[in-house]
Amino acid sequence: EVQLVESGGGLEQPGGSLRLSCAASGFTFSNYNMNWIRQVSGKGLEWVSYISGSSTTIYYADSVKGRFTISRDNVKNSLYLQMNSLRAEDTAVYYCTRDFSDWGQGTLVTVSS
Amino acid sequence: QAVLTQPSSLSASPGASASLTCTLRSGINVGTYRIYWYQQKPGSPPQYLLNYKSDSDKRQGSGVPSRFSGSKDASANAGILLISGLQSEDEADYFCMIWYSSAAVFGGGTKLTVL
């Protein structure tokens, strides 16, 4: 069974940093592209970033480019999102997804002073 | 104009069929893209339903009933999620998505009410 478990969310001040993690299990992690997608409470979905299985291809949404960094560790079966220079508008639930099919339960990031 | 446009709400009766549309912005040809559909219920993450590019290139999500199906309307430049035999449990938000210009783009979602 595919499992994706996000962690690392919490309350951070504007300008601060957070590192999200996503622990994957139930599949051969290195064979799959992964994404971070976020959702403001009660609102729609916003794609954040993509990373290919071998990390050779990475994409970011314009809204996070230059502030967020996606990475993965195929030995630890983990996906990461380093979030710097956080803004209030980054407040959302962050989901990791396997390709665009399987989703984790999400981790809440709140940026507020 | 948004890349993907979905009606904000739709109502239908139990047992009926509901056709949810996802209209691509003018200049973006629906025939070129694979359209993904997701269902989200309150308090839960989105659940992948299916993706559809053509009748010969589509994939149903694991465990997703066959009464959920995808198609396209080229004349309207839209992807369609058809839900037949509506059940009360189908009441949810539905989102479409395409991979466009090296980014995933989501529609704003349709709230489906079954009453």
Side-chain angles (χ1 to χ4, degrees):
Chain A
E1 178 193 5
V2 172
Q3 286 203 342
L4 300 168
V5 180
E6 302 93 337
S7 61
L11 175 63
E12 182 57 65
Q13 294 187 343
S17 297
L18 280 174
R19 189 192 195 209
L20 305 185
S21 299
C22 172
S25 61
F27 63 101
T28 303
F29 183 66
S30 60
N31 288 352
Y32 287 86
N33 305 323
M34 301 292 291
N35 295 272
W36 287 101
I37 295 169
R38 66 186 181 184
Q39 185 173 34
V40 175
S41 179
K43 302 294 185 183
L45 299 165
E46 180 187 17
W47 170 79
V48 173
S49 186
Y50 161 102
I51 186 168
S52 62
S54 58
S55 302
T56 53
T57 302
I58 288 174
Y59 300 112
Y60 296 100
D62 289 343
S63 58
V64 307
K65 203 171 293 182
R67 300 188 299 122
F68 290 9
T69 302
I70 192 171
S71 63
R72 64 191 296 160
D73 185 330
N74 287 345
V75 173
K76 294 183 178 179
N77 291 339
S78 292
L79 176 71
Y80 305 102
L81 186 68
Q82 178 66 43
M83 309 165 65
N84 298 333
S85 302
L86 283 164
R87 305 168 180 168
E89 54 264 37
D90 295 320
T91 295
V93 174
Y94 285 72
Y95 298 102
C96 72
T97 75
R98 183 183 79 151
D99 276 336
F100 289 105
S101 55
D102 299 284
W103 296 57
Q105 290 297 310
T107 187
L108 176 62
V109 171
T110 302
V111 184
S112 175
S113 55
Chain B
Q1 187 183 10
V3 172
L4 300 177
T5 299
Q6 298 182 251
S8 58
S9 63
L10 181 68
S11 297
S13 301
S17 295
S19 181
L20 285 70
T21 59
C22 176
T23 303
L24 281 65
R25 185 175 68 197
S26 177
I28 304 173
N29 184 353
V30 68
T32 305
Y33 293 90
R34 183 177 305 279
I35 300 181
Y36 294 77
W37 288 96
Y38 302 90
Q39 177 193 68
Q40 187 176 30
K41 296 181 180 180
S44 295
Q47 178 188 0
Y48 168 74
L49 293 175
L50 55 90
N51 74 66
Y52 182 93
K53 186 170 185 182
S54 67
D55 283 345
S56 60
D57 187 358
K58 58 185 178 180
R59 186 172 77 88
Q60 198 84 352
S62 175
V64 176
S66 59
R67 58 193 188 83
F68 290 85
S69 62
S71 65
K72 291 179 180 178
D73 181 344
S75 64
N77 203 36
I80 297 170
L81 175 69
L82 179 66
I83 310 172
S84 58
L86 276 169
Q87 302 176 2
S88 58
E89 67 206 50
D90 298 331
E91 186 161 295
D93 293 327
Y94 291 84
F95 296 93
C96 61
M97 185 275 284
I98 65 170
W99 183 257
Y100 173 70
S101 193
S102 301
V105 179
F106 287 91
T110 296
K111 182 175 185 62
L112 176 64
T113 301
V114 180
L115 44 68

